Amino acid sequence: MMLDPGLAQLVGSWRLLSVEATFPDTGERVATFGPKPSGRVVVTQGARIMFMITKSNRHPAADDPAKAVLFNETIAYSGRLRLAGPGQFTTTVEMSLFPEEVGTEKLRHFKIEGDRLMITRPEQTSRVTKGRVAVSSLVWAREHPASNLA
């Protein structure tokens, strides 16, 4: 499966700059992964996408409860990518840190301005927002264009 031409501009490696949730009920905006989250998204010519995001200031866990916190402060999944409409893509999840996500589809809106990629998750609840309805916005910086990926 080759990548749809409408998604070709996404191909490459992107470094996470920020993650912010906006709660429509209050207008509150929260940096859900802290002030300096870590993360990468990689999109291949073969129509695959891989995400990994972790919270700021992580430290090694001393016990199982602390390991559970680290686990729950991480997003990691990959799958097949397809164009869902102008400025929209859907990922069919093939692997995930959370097995219940395998086989689900994740719709995202995107916009690229220069070397910045903005991805927006439509209004929904999540474990990251502790079950509250939110719109999440992620900003990424291009690290490597497709021509530099092996």
Side-chain angles (χ1 to χ4, degrees):
M1 177 179 191
M2 290 305 296
L3 190 64
D4 185 291
L7 295 173
Q9 60 188 332
L10 292 174
V11 172
S13 174
W14 303 82
R15 178 180 48 86
L16 185 63
L17 299 177
S18 66
V19 180
E20 186 175 83
T22 302
F23 299 97
D25 59 342
T26 63
E28 175 187 15
R29 296 167 72 124
V30 176
T32 49
F33 282 80
K36 294 183 180 178
S38 294
R40 295 286 186 282
V41 61
V42 176
V43 179
T44 72
Q45 292 282 356
R48 294 206 174 272
I49 191 165
M50 292 155 267
F51 283 95
M52 183 158 183
I53 300 171
T54 63
K55 233 178 177 180
S56 303
N57 305 317
R58 291 166 40 103
H59 301 286
D63 54 26
D64 286 344
K67 288 178 184 176
V69 169
L70 289 175
F71 183 84
N72 284 311
E73 292 176 344
T74 302
I75 293 174
Y77 68 89
S78 69
R80 286 277 186 196
L81 185 64
R82 72 177 187 281
L83 190 66
Q88 299 178 14
F89 65 81
T90 298
T91 302
T92 301
V93 178
E94 295 177 331
M95 293 186 294
S96 175
L97 184 63
F98 294 92
E100 63 273 14
E101 291 185 344
V102 174
T104 65
E105 293 196 336
K106 296 179 179 281
L107 174 68
R108 301 293 184 258
H109 302 276
F110 73 94
K111 178 170 61 168
I112 295 178
E113 293 177 353
D115 281 341
R116 295 287 188 263
L117 166 63
M118 283 72 69
I119 295 178
T120 304
R121 188 193 74 192
E123 193 173 284
Q124 58 188 274
T125 62
S126 78
R127 64 183 166 75
V128 174
T129 60
K130 311 244 185 298
R132 290 180 66 193
V133 173
V135 173
S136 293
S137 301
L138 298 89
V139 179
W140 309 81
R142 185 181 294 277
E143 287 187 308
H144 302 289
S147 59
N148 292 342
L149 290 180

